Amino acid sequence: MSGPKHSPIYRLTATDPQKQRRVVSKDGHNNVRIDNVEGMVKLYLHDIWTTVVDIKWRYKLTLFASTFVVTWFTFGVIYYFIGMGNGDLDPEPGYNHTPCVQNVATLTGAFLFSLESQTTIGYGFRYISEECPLAVFTLVAQLVLTSLAEAFVTGAFLAKLARPKKRSETIKFSHLAVVTQCEGWPCLIVRVANLRKSLLIQCQLTGRLLFPYETQEGEKTLVQQTVVDFRLDSSSECSTLLLPLTFYHILDESSPLQSLTAENLRSRDFELVVTLNATMESTAASCQSRTSYIPQEIMWGYEFKPMLFASPSGRYMADFNCFDEVRPCSDPSMLSGHVHKLRLEKEYRKD
């Protein structure tokens, strides 16, 4: 494998001296705590499907198992009381007595009959009698109700397995963002890669800048949002995420980060939330992956190390050991932090 030679590479790790608050964590999870909502349990029960799909796996597995066990035991108790009311549990039943359920004389036997009926592994030793309409009605009700309950729980189980959220875990964002010069303008650049061979199509990277804001009237807002546009070459949309790509945002006059410089970067208080929306080619389902960057995770005057090389077999190889590696850029204006001043001087000389 061969690749171009470059200057020494530095792997930089961002640090958070005071553990700055974040709305979105680096792995894309929501850090906002919802509290003091009246009737939260009632609201969750109104949307029971979403609640069941969203619960953690340990609770979902418990719900899945308890659905079967509880219904088996509940209807077993019902069959037991039906037999008790019919006199099936008497020590000496009459000569012409016909039990509601044959060979069920204990609660354990009633539970086993309920289990065999619901799982359709009967009837052999225990079976229902046609002389007891109440038991027949209970059997029909059990099969209808438990089929609905099992379909609901099984569907929620499969829906959680097939959630596009899991696909987003194989979308990788660079740990750091860099600011380097591109076509005469400083650009904020992030790197994104797809870790699976299955393609992501119609990819679009968008950003939201979150920062504290104070209005002219003196009203303070803890989190103000504004849009940060990211581009790939000449378009804001990527047809396929086949190779590791770099998306950039130009820090021009229309950018909400236009006042950002190398000197004030570390003193700024903001969070840049980056979201990738894409469609999975295999299932046509949409997925979304996100991360965030704070000033300590933005490197001014650096650029990403190339990670795509040509192999001797004629194929391309993406070396993910270089995915998060950055190096100082070769532009002296970026290293000095006076890129805006130099650009104005060039425009003045042209005029």
Side-chain angles (χ1 to χ4, degrees), residues 78-144:
I78 294 175
Y79 289 124
Y80 181 79
F81 282 113
I82 290 176
M84 181 183 296
N86 193 49
D88 300 344
L89 307 182
D90 293 344
E92 296 181 358
Y95 177 75
N96 296 326
H97 178 75
T98 302
C100 284
V101 182
Q102 296 287 346
N103 301 313
V104 172
T106 62
L107 181 60
T108 303
F111 173 79
L112 292 175
F113 172 74
S114 175
L115 186 153
E116 294 169 4
S117 299
Q118 191 169 326
T119 56
T120 66
I121 62 175
Y123 296 96
F125 182 70
R126 301 178 186 86
Y127 57 93
I128 202 164
S129 171
E130 62 184 17
E131 300 295 331
C132 189
L134 181 58
V136 174
F137 174 80
T138 303
L139 177 62
V140 173
Q142 177 185 6
L143 297 180
V144 172

Side-chain angles (χ1 to χ4, degrees), residues 40-57 59-60 63 152-153 155-157 159-161 163 165:
M40 176 65 78
V41 175
K42 184 178 180 180
L43 294 174
Y44 273 56
L45 292 178
H46 280 175
D47 189 11
I48 187 65
W49 171 258
T50 304
T51 301
V52 174
V53 172
D54 285 345
I55 60 176
K56 296 182 179 179
W57 274 110
Y59 302 128
K60 187 178 292 292
L63 177 64
F152 178 85
V153 175
F157 191 90
K160 190 173 183 66
L161 285 174
R163 292 180 73 181
K165 182 179 179 181

Side-chain angles (χ1 to χ4, degrees), residues 182-183 187-193 200-207 228-250 276-277 304:
C182 179
E183 298 181 358
C187 295
L188 176 68
I189 300 177
V190 297
R191 179 179 270 176
V192 186
L200 293 172
I201 59 177
Q202 298 177 352
C203 304
Q204 187 174 14
L205 192 75
T206 58
V228 177
D229 296 324
F230 280 88
R231 305 182 67 83
L232 176 68
D233 298 329
S234 60
S235 174
S236 61
E237 185 174 302
C238 172
S239 58
T240 58
L241 190 58
L242 180 61
L243 302 172
L245 300 176
T246 53
F247 291 83
Y248 65 91
H249 168 72
I250 303 176
L276 179 73
N277 295 288
F304 287 109

Side-chain angles (χ1 to χ4, degrees), residues 7-13 174 176-178 189 191 299 301-306 322-329:
S7 57
I9 304 302
Y10 305 93
R11 183 180 292 274
L12 301 178
T13 304
S174 57
L176 300 174
V178 298
I189 300 177
R191 179 179 270 176
M299 309 305 300
Y302 286 81
E303 61 186 6
F304 287 109
K305 175 187 175 182
C322 307
F323 185 80
D324 286 318
E325 289 186 348
V326 297
R327 66 186 182 190
C329 64

